[in-house]
Amino acid sequence: MKDINSGNIHMLESMILNAENICIVTHMKPDGDAMGSSTALYHYLMKLGKTSKIVINDPYPSYLSFLISEDLGRNIITYESQPSHATDAISGSDLIICLDFNAFHRTDRLEEALYQSTGRKILIDHHLNPARELFDLSFSEIEVSSASELLYHILMETSVINKDTARLGNECAQALMTGMTTDTNNFANSVFPSTLHMASDLLAAGTDRDYILNRIYNQYGENRLRLMGHMMKDLMKITSDGVAYIMLDKQTQEAYSTAEGDTEGFVNMPLSIAEVRMSILAKEDTDRIRISIRSKRGTSANMCARRFFNGGGHENAAGGRLLIPDNVNGIDEVGDYIERTTHIFLNDEDNK
Ligand code: 5GP
Ligand code: MN
């Protein structure tokens, strides 16, 4: 991991030491890795005697609430409910640490405040195409499972932790294990030798993985499983190119009382079908249609998201959005759009 070297670690430590107001920023609609890495960093900074703010565009999903103690909760600012508080926190910070995203637009309505901010900025991320020019210091590695794993390897090199996992403390360790676990789908993808080293060291230090797994995977409402059944049985379509896609409109989300995070992981399921090369979930949101893409080896979800869905991500797991009316006039047109664009994309890829 070339960005983790003594020069950069030293710079990170001195930037933290010299900062008076620190905020941690992560991507919109935060997932387990976004919240895991952000809260882990919060706990590390507390160890150094620095109380930071975590600023996010949207509320975190309730299944991650076990990571948020009362104290920590008071230091999370959500743009959705406190817009000026959120942008003030960014503009009032002399150090902004950005986790689990590669460019400011991934923070949605925090983007402008980040561009305007005069504070120094640090990036800790594992996505392709990082906008390094926006940061004073970047830790960007794509050969890691998650931002949480990358943060773990960084923290190990700091003088306070000094390669002793136990020094992270339970809360920090638990948050890092959570972020790595959700981004790998519980070790199903993006697992590197370094990922298993991290997991092994965290386990040895006493992190309670059974508790974490129970909190992440066994606390959903009945509605979620019923929705999954409906999606796979009635809504999934498979094109002759081997693209499985599902359109989840607002009406269906309401009928199943779908909360943020309830559809987590569903987009992976169609890949279990032999002839499916790529799976797309289109979810109707207020002013856009959110897109999640997963692909098998040899097909690039990232390139497809960049070319046709205003997004990007990783080679086999990416996301984006369709804008109304720029790309489609409504959810009814999304099926046609997906069939047409993936046909072009897969034929171009095959003929490369
Ligand atoms: P998910 O499908 O789980 O929402 O996202 C999968 C991956 O794609 C994540 O790593 C996420 O960061 C990335 N991603 C999701 N939405 C977008 C987007 O709108 N733009 C970009 N550049 N990446 C995205
Ligand atoms: Mn991530």
Side-chain angles (χ1 to χ4, degrees), residues 27 31 33-34 100 126-127 145-147 183 314:
H27 61 77
D31 57 6
D33 189 30
D100 199 28
H126 69 123
H127 291 91
S145 62
S146 53
D183 254 28
H314 311 282

Side-chain angles (χ1 to χ4, degrees), residues 14 59 65 74 76 97 103 105 132 146-147 179 235 239 282 284 288 303 330 349:
S14 74
S65 59
R74 276 193 285 277
I76 296 183
I97 308 180
H105 69 89
R132 286 179 185 264
S146 53
L235 304 183
T239 72
E284 190 178 15
R288 67 184 71 161
M303 291 310 295
E349 281 234 314

Side-chain angles (χ1 to χ4, degrees), residues 27-29 31 33 100-103 105-106 125-129 183 260 264-265 267-268 281 288 290-294 301-302 305-306 309-314 316-321:
H27 61 77
M28 61 170 137
K29 309 274 182 188
D31 57 6
D33 189 30
D100 199 28
F101 66 90
N102 55 2
H105 69 89
R106 294 282 297 126
D125 180 50
H126 69 123
H127 291 91
L128 295 159
N129 316 111
D183 254 28
E260 192 59 44
E264 194 74 48
V267 65
N268 296 295
L281 171 62
R288 67 184 71 161
R290 281 160 62 194
I291 300 289
S292 281
I293 308 178
R294 300 293 183 272
N302 173 56
R306 284 165 72 89
F309 296 96
N310 307 299
H314 311 282
N316 299 119
R321 63 185 103 167

Side-chain angles (χ1 to χ4, degrees), residues 287-344:
D287 58 343
R288 67 184 71 161
I289 289 153
R290 281 160 62 194
I291 300 289
S292 281
I293 308 178
R294 300 293 183 272
S295 61
K296 285 183 183 157
R297 193 181 283 187
T299 301
S300 174
N302 173 56
M303 291 310 295
C304 188
R306 284 165 72 89
R307 190 163 162 198
F308 292 112
F309 296 96
N310 307 299
H314 311 282
E315 186 61 10
N316 299 119
R321 63 185 103 167
L322 288 178
L323 304 170
I324 304 168
D326 300 4
N327 304 119
V328 289
N329 286 312
I331 187 89
D332 301 344
E333 290 181 11
V334 172
D336 277 353
Y337 184 92
I338 291 175
E339 295 210 10
R340 191 162 41 80
T341 55
T342 55
H343 182 71
I344 298 168

